[in-house]
PDB file of all heavy atoms in Angstrom:
ATOM      1  N   ARG A 261     -35.657 -41.788  10.616  1.00  0.00           N
ATOM      2  CA  ARG A 261     -34.278 -41.970  10.152  1.00  0.00           C
ATOM      3  C   ARG A 261     -33.276 -41.714  11.266  1.00  0.00           C
ATOM      4  O   ARG A 261     -32.089 -41.977  11.098  1.00  0.00           O
ATOM      5  CB  ARG A 261     -33.997 -41.022   8.983  1.00  0.00           C
ATOM      6  CG  ARG A 261     -34.809 -41.309   7.733  1.00  0.00           C
ATOM      7  CD  ARG A 261     -34.457 -40.356   6.593  1.00  0.00           C
ATOM      8  NE  ARG A 261     -35.011 -39.014   6.800  1.00  0.00           N
ATOM      9  CZ  ARG A 261     -34.307 -37.947   7.149  1.00  0.00           C
ATOM     10  NH1 ARG A 261     -33.003 -38.065   7.359  1.00  0.00           N
ATOM     11  NH2 ARG A 261     -34.885 -36.765   7.307  1.00  0.00           N
ATOM     12  N   GLU A 262     -33.749 -41.235  12.400  1.00  0.00           N
ATOM     13  CA  GLU A 262     -32.883 -40.921  13.528  1.00  0.00           C
ATOM     14  C   GLU A 262     -33.645 -41.221  14.806  1.00  0.00           C
ATOM     15  O   GLU A 262     -34.869 -41.102  14.847  1.00  0.00           O
ATOM     16  CB  GLU A 262     -32.500 -39.440  13.482  1.00  0.00           C
ATOM     17  CG  GLU A 262     -31.333 -39.059  14.345  1.00  0.00           C
ATOM     18  CD  GLU A 262     -30.017 -39.559  13.807  1.00  0.00           C
ATOM     19  OE1 GLU A 262     -29.655 -39.231  12.667  1.00  0.00           O
ATOM     20  OE2 GLU A 262     -29.347 -40.315  14.546  1.00  0.00           O
ATOM     21  N   SER A 263     -32.924 -41.648  15.847  1.00  0.00           N
ATOM     22  CA  SER A 263     -33.573 -41.896  17.136  1.00  0.00           C
ATOM     23  C   SER A 263     -33.045 -40.904  18.158  1.00  0.00           C
ATOM     24  O   SER A 263     -31.880 -40.476  18.096  1.00  0.00           O
ATOM     25  CB  SER A 263     -33.295 -43.322  17.616  1.00  0.00           C
ATOM     26  OG  SER A 263     -31.920 -43.499  17.901  1.00  0.00           O
ATOM     27  N   LEU A 264     -33.897 -40.534  19.109  1.00  0.00           N
ATOM     28  CA  LEU A 264     -33.490 -39.577  20.129  1.00  0.00           C
ATOM     29  C   LEU A 264     -32.284 -40.078  20.906  1.00  0.00           C
ATOM     30  O   LEU A 264     -31.404 -39.301  21.288  1.00  0.00           O
ATOM     31  CB  LEU A 264     -34.655 -39.315  21.084  1.00  0.00           C
ATOM     32  CG  LEU A 264     -35.826 -38.484  20.540  1.00  0.00           C
ATOM     33  CD1 LEU A 264     -36.945 -38.425  21.560  1.00  0.00           C
ATOM     34  CD2 LEU A 264     -35.362 -37.070  20.196  1.00  0.00           C
ATOM     35  N   GLU A 265     -32.212 -41.375  21.135  1.00  0.00           N
ATOM     36  CA  GLU A 265     -31.118 -41.944  21.915  1.00  0.00           C
ATOM     37  C   GLU A 265     -29.763 -41.762  21.254  1.00  0.00           C
ATOM     38  O   GLU A 265     -28.726 -41.755  21.920  1.00  0.00           O
ATOM     39  CB  GLU A 265     -31.370 -43.442  22.163  1.00  0.00           C
ATOM     40  CG  GLU A 265     -32.574 -43.749  23.053  1.00  0.00           C
ATOM     41  CD  GLU A 265     -33.905 -43.560  22.326  1.00  0.00           C
ATOM     42  OE1 GLU A 265     -33.883 -43.500  21.072  1.00  0.00           O
ATOM     43  OE2 GLU A 265     -34.933 -43.456  23.024  1.00  0.00           O
ATOM     44  N   ASN A 266     -29.760 -41.630  19.942  1.00  0.00           N
ATOM     45  CA  ASN A 266     -28.502 -41.512  19.205  1.00  0.00           C
ATOM     46  C   ASN A 266     -28.015 -40.077  19.049  1.00  0.00           C
ATOM     47  O   ASN A 266     -26.945 -39.848  18.481  1.00  0.00           O
ATOM     48  CB  ASN A 266     -28.649 -42.133  17.804  1.00  0.00           C
ATOM     49  CG  ASN A 266     -28.761 -43.643  17.864  1.00  0.00           C
ATOM     50  OD1 ASN A 266     -28.324 -44.270  18.825  1.00  0.00           O
ATOM     51  ND2 ASN A 266     -29.361 -44.228  16.838  1.00  0.00           N
ATOM     52  N   ILE A 267     -28.781 -39.110  19.537  1.00  0.00           N
ATOM     53  CA  ILE A 267     -28.411 -37.705  19.344  1.00  0.00           C
ATOM     54  C   ILE A 267     -27.437 -37.285  20.445  1.00  0.00           C
ATOM     55  O   ILE A 267     -27.824 -37.016  21.578  1.00  0.00           O
ATOM     56  CB  ILE A 267     -29.648 -36.797  19.315  1.00  0.00           C
ATOM     57  CG1 ILE A 267     -30.568 -37.192  18.169  1.00  0.00           C
ATOM     58  CG2 ILE A 267     -29.217 -35.327  19.167  1.00  0.00           C
ATOM     59  CD1 ILE A 267     -31.841 -36.400  18.099  1.00  0.00           C
ATOM     60  N   THR A 268     -26.177 -37.256  20.096  1.00  0.00           N
ATOM     61  CA  THR A 268     -25.109 -36.797  20.971  1.00  0.00           C
ATOM     62  C   THR A 268     -24.583 -35.463  20.441  1.00  0.00           C
ATOM     63  O   THR A 268     -25.020 -34.983  19.389  1.00  0.00           O
ATOM     64  CB  THR A 268     -23.957 -37.813  20.983  1.00  0.00           C
ATOM     65  OG1 THR A 268     -23.440 -37.934  19.639  1.00  0.00           O
ATOM     66  CG2 THR A 268     -24.441 -39.178  21.459  1.00  0.00           C
ATOM     67  N   GLU A 269     -23.641 -34.873  21.154  1.00  0.00           N
ATOM     68  CA  GLU A 269     -23.034 -33.645  20.646  1.00  0.00           C
ATOM     69  C   GLU A 269     -22.388 -33.899  19.288  1.00  0.00           C
ATOM     70  O   GLU A 269     -22.492 -33.074  18.375  1.00  0.00           O
ATOM     71  CB  GLU A 269     -21.981 -33.127  21.634  1.00  0.00           C
ATOM     72  CG  GLU A 269     -22.573 -32.573  22.914  1.00  0.00           C
ATOM     73  CD  GLU A 269     -21.509 -31.983  23.823  1.00  0.00           C
ATOM     74  OE1 GLU A 269     -20.348 -31.824  23.379  1.00  0.00           O
ATOM     75  OE2 GLU A 269     -21.839 -31.674  24.988  1.00  0.00           O
ATOM     76  N   GLU A 270     -21.720 -35.036  19.165  1.00  0.00           N
ATOM     77  CA  GLU A 270     -21.054 -35.357  17.905  1.00  0.00           C
ATOM     78  C   GLU A 270     -22.070 -35.542  16.784  1.00  0.00           C
ATOM     79  O   GLU A 270     -21.861 -35.087  15.654  1.00  0.00           O
ATOM     80  CB  GLU A 270     -20.205 -36.614  18.054  1.00  0.00           C
ATOM     81  CG  GLU A 270     -18.991 -36.465  18.953  1.00  0.00           C
ATOM     82  CD  GLU A 270     -19.324 -36.414  20.439  1.00  0.00           C
ATOM     83  OE1 GLU A 270     -20.473 -36.787  20.812  1.00  0.00           O
ATOM     84  OE2 GLU A 270     -18.459 -35.990  21.219  1.00  0.00           O
ATOM     85  N   ARG A 271     -23.173 -36.218  17.100  1.00  0.00           N
ATOM     86  CA  ARG A 271     -24.198 -36.446  16.077  1.00  0.00           C
ATOM     87  C   ARG A 271     -24.852 -35.127  15.679  1.00  0.00           C
ATOM     88  O   ARG A 271     -25.119 -34.883  14.496  1.00  0.00           O
ATOM     89  CB  ARG A 271     -25.256 -37.428  16.596  1.00  0.00           C
ATOM     90  CG  ARG A 271     -26.303 -37.828  15.562  1.00  0.00           C
ATOM     91  CD  ARG A 271     -25.653 -38.479  14.366  1.00  0.00           C
ATOM     92  NE  ARG A 271     -26.629 -38.878  13.360  1.00  0.00           N
ATOM     93  CZ  ARG A 271     -26.364 -38.930  12.071  1.00  0.00           C
ATOM     94  NH1 ARG A 271     -25.162 -38.605  11.619  1.00  0.00           N
ATOM     95  NH2 ARG A 271     -27.294 -39.306  11.215  1.00  0.00           N
ATOM     96  N   PHE A 272     -25.116 -34.263  16.656  1.00  0.00           N
ATOM     97  CA  PHE A 272     -25.702 -32.962  16.341  1.00  0.00           C
ATOM     98  C   PHE A 272     -24.778 -32.172  15.427  1.00  0.00           C
ATOM     99  O   PHE A 272     -25.215 -31.566  14.454  1.00  0.00           O
ATOM    100  CB  PHE A 272     -25.976 -32.172  17.621  1.00  0.00           C
ATOM    101  CG  PHE A 272     -26.677 -30.867  17.388  1.00  0.00           C
ATOM    102  CD1 PHE A 272     -28.062 -30.803  17.329  1.00  0.00           C
ATOM    103  CD2 PHE A 272     -25.957 -29.691  17.206  1.00  0.00           C
ATOM    104  CE1 PHE A 272     -28.712 -29.595  17.095  1.00  0.00           C
ATOM    105  CE2 PHE A 272     -26.596 -28.487  16.971  1.00  0.00           C
ATOM    106  CZ  PHE A 272     -27.975 -28.442  16.913  1.00  0.00           C
ATOM    107  N   ALA A 273     -23.477 -32.190  15.741  1.00  0.00           N
ATOM    108  CA  ALA A 273     -22.518 -31.436  14.938  1.00  0.00           C
ATOM    109  C   ALA A 273     -22.491 -31.907  13.493  1.00  0.00           C
ATOM    110  O   ALA A 273     -22.177 -31.129  12.584  1.00  0.00           O
ATOM    111  CB  ALA A 273     -21.130 -31.551  15.558  1.00  0.00           C
ATOM    112  N   SER A 274     -22.852 -33.160  13.263  1.00  0.00           N
ATOM    113  CA  SER A 274     -22.841 -33.684  11.895  1.00  0.00           C
ATOM    114  C   SER A 274     -23.946 -33.078  11.042  1.00  0.00           C
ATOM    115  O   SER A 274     -23.933 -33.224   9.818  1.00  0.00           O
ATOM    116  CB  SER A 274     -22.976 -35.213  11.912  1.00  0.00           C
ATOM    117  OG  SER A 274     -24.290 -35.624  12.266  1.00  0.00           O
ATOM    118  N   PHE A 275     -24.900 -32.389  11.667  1.00  0.00           N
ATOM    119  CA  PHE A 275     -25.973 -31.727  10.931  1.00  0.00           C
ATOM    120  C   PHE A 275     -25.664 -30.250  10.675  1.00  0.00           C
ATOM    121  O   PHE A 275     -26.436 -29.570  10.010  1.00  0.00           O
ATOM    122  CB  PHE A 275     -27.298 -31.854  11.689  1.00  0.00           C
ATOM    123  CG  PHE A 275     -27.955 -33.197  11.557  1.00  0.00           C
ATOM    124  CD1 PHE A 275     -27.539 -34.268  12.327  1.00  0.00           C
ATOM    125  CD2 PHE A 275     -28.990 -33.400  10.650  1.00  0.00           C
ATOM    126  CE1 PHE A 275     -28.137 -35.510  12.210  1.00  0.00           C
ATOM    127  CE2 PHE A 275     -29.605 -34.645  10.521  1.00  0.00           C
ATOM    128  CZ  PHE A 275     -29.167 -35.705  11.302  1.00  0.00           C
ATOM    129  N   LEU A 276     -24.550 -29.762  11.185  1.00  0.00           N
ATOM    130  CA  LEU A 276     -24.162 -28.379  10.957  1.00  0.00           C
ATOM    131  C   LEU A 276     -23.529 -28.225   9.581  1.00  0.00           C
ATOM    132  O   LEU A 276     -23.057 -29.199   8.985  1.00  0.00           O
ATOM    133  CB  LEU A 276     -23.167 -27.925  12.032  1.00  0.00           C
ATOM    134  CG  LEU A 276     -23.687 -27.888  13.473  1.00  0.00           C
ATOM    135  CD1 LEU A 276     -22.521 -27.641  14.430  1.00  0.00           C
ATOM    136  CD2 LEU A 276     -24.755 -26.818  13.660  1.00  0.00           C
ATOM    137  N   SER A 277     -23.479 -27.005   9.088  1.00  0.00           N
ATOM    138  CA  SER A 277     -22.869 -26.773   7.771  1.00  0.00           C
ATOM    139  C   SER A 277     -21.377 -27.020   7.791  1.00  0.00           C
ATOM    140  O   SER A 277     -20.753 -27.198   6.748  1.00  0.00           O
ATOM    141  CB  SER A 277     -23.157 -25.344   7.300  1.00  0.00           C
ATOM    142  OG  SER A 277     -22.594 -24.397   8.191  1.00  0.00           O
TER     143      SER A 277
END
Side-chain angles (χ1 to χ4, degrees):
R261 295 182 285 106
E262 196 72 58
S263 66
L264 288 175
E265 294 75 16
N266 290 337
I267 299 177
T268 61
E269 289 184 11
E270 292 74 15
R271 185 59 180 150
F272 184 87
S274 72
F275 282 80
L276 296 171
S277 62

